[in-house]
Amino acid sequence: MSKPQQAGAVVVHGGAGASCGNEDGCVLAARRALAQLEVSGDALDAAVAAVSTLEDDGRFNAGSGSVLGLDGATVEMDASIMDTRGRLGAIACVQSVKNPVQLARAVADTPHWLLAGDGATRFARAIGMRESAPVSERQRAHHRRIMAQLAGSVPVMPGVDTQLFERFWNYNTPLRLPEGVACDTVGAVVRGADGHFAVACSTGGSAPSLLGRVGDTPIIGSGFYAGPEGAVAATGIGEQIVRHLLARTVYGWIADGLPLEQALRRGIDLFGPDVEVGLAAVSRIEAGALSNSDMPYSKMVQR
């Protein structure tokens, strides 16, 4: 007997550790995703619409809200998409692209599934994608706060010194970042009324981090996964998420019949309380999100 299936559903999250005061941005993104789903019926179109909305918001660590690197000038972004129609695309360490999730979607139409660094940026220019807006004062103020917090926790050094970051990075606990520092991704998971699933994710990186750092967002099975039984998006400390192949692991539990909420809780419980992590997922009959820290999100179901 086939499993029952609800109408289309969307879950959008704004990142583990992000302010729940930004939840209105997730609500808008989910509404736009549902509207797109009603127009095209394509779950991937809806997921990309949701994440593009969050990238344009400026309050989330993605797109126009991406964090500055330790040099105070460089922004490196990652994004990914996947659906059950066979489309898979990701980009890593891309610079000066307005909507990285749309670039990841474009990669899915090439012979490749992942483009990185300068090659990804050149690909964006070749297909006419819009460049990022200039770095905002909000991004610069965020960077100044990070540097002040770092300087307060280790000996003050002139400029950005390698020893400063290495000493900070080498705590015994994983990436114990200063309070309020962005560490990961925004994402959306979608169930189409036609039975197809899709996921899209985008991140402005981690602060602080080494130049060229890639977390879980563009890594299939870690930050994102979609299969015939559902779709999962992860958010949090990427260096820990990849060790558990979190998105694919949680998807496997859902595919095995575990109720969605239990699967999400089991995934979160893989991590200690010092590691911020969150999940959003849809299955054939359920939709939801869960985090061990503040995480703005919105869930909407077609009626």
Side-chain angles (χ1 to χ4, degrees):
M1 180 180 295
S2 62
K3 297 180 181 179
Q5 180 171 310
Q6 292 182 350
V10 175
V11 184
V12 178
H13 75 77
S19 171
C20 287
N22 298 338
E23 201 157 85
D24 61 308
C26 295
V27 171
L28 176 60
R31 285 175 177 165
R32 288 183 175 172
L34 272 188
Q36 180 62 50
L37 195 59
E38 290 172 0
V39 169
S40 70
D42 190 317
L44 183 57
D45 286 350
V48 171
V51 173
S52 294
T53 299
L54 297 181
E55 289 176 336
D56 292 341
D57 186 289
R59 294 175 294 172
F60 300 96
N61 181 25
S64 62
S66 298
V67 296
L68 284 167
L70 283 180
D71 62 357
T74 304
V75 174
E76 293 185 313
M77 300 171 287
D78 307 332
S80 56
I81 64 94
M82 184 178 185
D83 74 354
T84 49
R85 298 180 189 274
R87 294 174 290 193
L88 171 65
I91 54 98
C93 295
V94 69
Q95 298 184 26
S96 191
V97 172
K98 184 177 184 293
N99 291 108
V101 72
Q102 295 176 22
L103 182 59
R105 171 64 186 88
V107 170
D109 292 331
T110 75
H112 312 301
W113 81 273
L114 172 64
L115 292 178
D118 185 56
T121 304
R122 291 188 183 199
F123 175 62
R125 299 288 86 81
I127 63 174
M129 295 203 71
R130 294 175 62 185
E131 295 187 22
S132 303
V135 174
S136 68
E137 177 53 34
R138 184 178 182 276
Q139 289 168 291
R140 295 191 188 282
H142 186 271
H143 177 260
R144 288 194 293 268
R145 288 196 300 273
I146 292 172
M147 298 309 295
Q149 288 170 313
L150 285 172
S153 63
V154 296
V156 178
M157 300 179 185
V160 180
D161 191 284
T162 302
Q163 289 180 297
L164 174 68
F165 184 59
E166 287 180 347
R167 183 168 179 182
F168 174 80
W169 183 268
N170 289 339
Y171 283 116
N172 289 328
T173 55
L175 292 180
R176 186 170 291 171
L177 302 178
E179 182 180 357
V181 172
C183 65
D184 207 71
T185 167
V186 302
V189 288
V190 178
R191 178 181 67 231
D194 59 0
H196 283 284
F197 296 94
V199 57
C201 300
S202 180
T203 181
S206 172
S209 68
L210 300 174
L211 187 66
R213 178 262 185 187
V214 176
D216 64 291
T217 300
I219 307 302
I220 184 173
S222 293
F224 68 100
Y225 194 79
E229 300 300 326
V232 181
T235 170
I237 309 275
E239 282 74 5
Q240 299 302 309
I241 288 173
V242 297
R243 297 175 188 275
H244 293 281
L245 289 174
L246 184 60
R248 180 59 180 84
T249 297
V250 171
Y251 170 82
W253 293 330
I254 293 171
D256 287 343
L258 194 66
L260 188 138
E261 184 174 354
Q262 291 183 34
L264 297 181
R265 170 55 61 190
R266 190 172 175 183
I268 297 297
D269 288 345
L270 292 172
F271 304 85
D274 57 332
V275 178
E276 291 182 339
V277 64
L279 290 160
V282 286
S283 68
R284 289 186 175 274
I285 59 173
E286 297 178 284
L290 188 67
S291 177
N292 63 2
S293 61
D294 286 347
M295 184 180 76
Y297 77 93
S298 178
K299 177 180 77 172
M300 296 186 184
V301 179
Q302 281 182 328
R303 300 300 180 188

